[in-house]
């Protein structure tokens, strides 16, 4: 779940900021094969526009816009927020994160849920994306299946997969969250503020208020 959600967030957020978040637009004819995005349309819609459509971005304009540093605010430094901050930081964006709780690495607080996270292939893909797969594996405990107990006291193992080599992992939510925060803060362009609660967001002025 974490991997799928973060992949979607990173793809949509970065794509929207880079392609449709504002800036110069052009009415010049499109080059053959160039895929562009109409202003204010999320790029994952996959629109391929004709030369008669105004307000479109050319591939060269997109690349130029990507090279400009953008300021990004993330509300929440949980699993998804910290992973998103790490990925955007790696891509050169100026990232500021506001978290209403204390720093879980310094204070004994709940990581959000009482049980461990079931960490599967989709989550691991997100870790590969940010280059910390091996560090996360060190925190994982393999789970091959669930133990079934019947009324007579007999037990048997029900495998999660029909293939012996496949399993899912159990990982501490707090441990994974702390690792992601550590990795994100290694980047000078990522700043995380704790004990800061977001009160309101003004999308028109692109501002947020916190206390």
């Amino acid at each position: 779940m974490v991997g799928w959600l973060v992949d979607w967030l990173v793809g949509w957020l970065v794509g929207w900021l880079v392609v449709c978040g504002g800036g110069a637009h052009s009415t010049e004819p499109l080059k053959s094969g160039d895929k562009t995005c109409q202003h204010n349309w999320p790029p994952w819609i996959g629109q391929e526009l004709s030369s008669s459509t105004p307000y479109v971005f050319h591939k060269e304009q997109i690349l130029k816009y990507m090279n400009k540093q953008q300021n990004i605010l993330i509300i929440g430094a949980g699993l998804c927020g910290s992973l998103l901050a790490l990925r955007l930081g790696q891509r050169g964006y100026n990232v500021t994160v506001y978290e209403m709780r204390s720093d879980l690495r310094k204070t004994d607080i709940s990581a959000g849920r009482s049980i461990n996270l079931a960490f599967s292939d989709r989550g691991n893909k997100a870790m590969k994306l940010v280059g910390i797969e091996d560090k996360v594996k060190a925190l994982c405990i393999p789970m091959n299946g669930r133990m079934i107990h019947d009324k007579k006291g007999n037990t048997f193992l029900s495998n999660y997969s029909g293939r012996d080599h496949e399993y899912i992992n159990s990982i501490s939510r707090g441990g994974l969250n702390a690792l992601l925060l550590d990795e994100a803060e290694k980047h000078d362009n990522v700043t995380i503020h704790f004990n800061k609660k977001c009160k309101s967001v003004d999308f028109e002025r692109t501002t947020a208020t916190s206390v």
Side-chain angles (χ1 to χ4, degrees):
M1 180 63 182
V2 173
W4 176 85
L5 181 58
V6 171
D7 287 346
W8 183 86
L9 280 171
V10 170
W12 182 86
L13 178 60
V14 175
W16 185 84
L17 285 170
V18 170
V19 183
C20 298
H25 40 254
S26 169
T27 57
E28 297 176 7
L30 297 177
K31 296 180 180 179
S32 176
D34 276 358
K35 290 187 176 182
T36 63
C37 176
Q38 187 174 4
H39 190 58
N40 291 331
W41 279 72
W44 44 264
I45 292 179
Q47 298 291 323
E48 185 166 351
L49 306 175
S50 67
S51 59
S52 61
T53 306
Y55 304 110
V56 297
F57 286 92
H58 284 230
K59 181 168 59 179
E60 293 78 8
Q61 290 174 304
I62 294 173
L63 293 175
K64 181 180 179 181
Y65 199 76
M66 287 178 67
N67 290 329
K68 296 182 178 179
Q69 285 194 330
Q70 298 293 303
N71 297 318
I72 296 177
L73 174 64
I74 298 174
I75 305 300
L79 293 174
C80 289
S82 55
L83 179 55
L84 185 60
L86 171 57
R87 183 54 181 156
L88 294 176
Q90 291 174 338
R91 297 188 65 169
Y93 293 90
N94 294 320
V95 181
T96 301
V97 183
Y98 284 97
E99 168 59 50
M100 70 175 183
R101 301 175 301 172
S102 300
D103 189 342
L104 59 80
R105 297 166 297 178
K106 300 176 181 179
T107 308
D108 186 17
I109 61 175
S110 169
R113 302 288 180 113
S114 60
I115 61 174
N116 276 12
L117 179 73
F119 193 76
S120 63
D121 183 63
R122 287 183 297 179
N124 196 48
K125 286 180 179 177
M127 300 304 108
K128 287 182 179 179
L129 181 67
V130 295
I132 60 172
E133 180 186 10
D134 291 339
K135 292 181 180 180
V136 173
K137 278 185 177 180
L139 303 176
C140 290
I141 301 173
M143 297 190 299
N144 294 296
R146 59 174 61 87
M147 187 64 70
I148 308 298
H149 301 256
D150 65 19
K151 292 181 179 180
K152 296 181 179 180
N154 300 313
T155 60
F156 63 93
L157 181 66
S158 175
N159 290 332
Y160 289 124
S161 173
R163 292 176 285 270
D164 292 337
H165 66 281
E166 290 185 346
Y167 55 86
I168 59 177
N169 292 287
S170 173
I171 188 171
S172 164
R173 294 173 183 269
L176 179 58
N177 204 163
L179 174 62
L180 291 170
L181 290 171
D182 286 341
E183 294 297 321
E185 286 187 329
K186 289 181 180 179
H187 298 271
D188 293 336
N189 51 324
V190 176
T191 304
I192 304 176
H193 299 278
F194 295 95
N195 299 306
K196 293 289 186 180
K197 184 177 181 179
C198 180
K199 297 292 289 185
S200 63
V201 177
D202 187 332
F203 290 102
E204 294 294 329
R205 298 181 180 179
T206 62
T207 59
T209 303
S210 64
V211 293

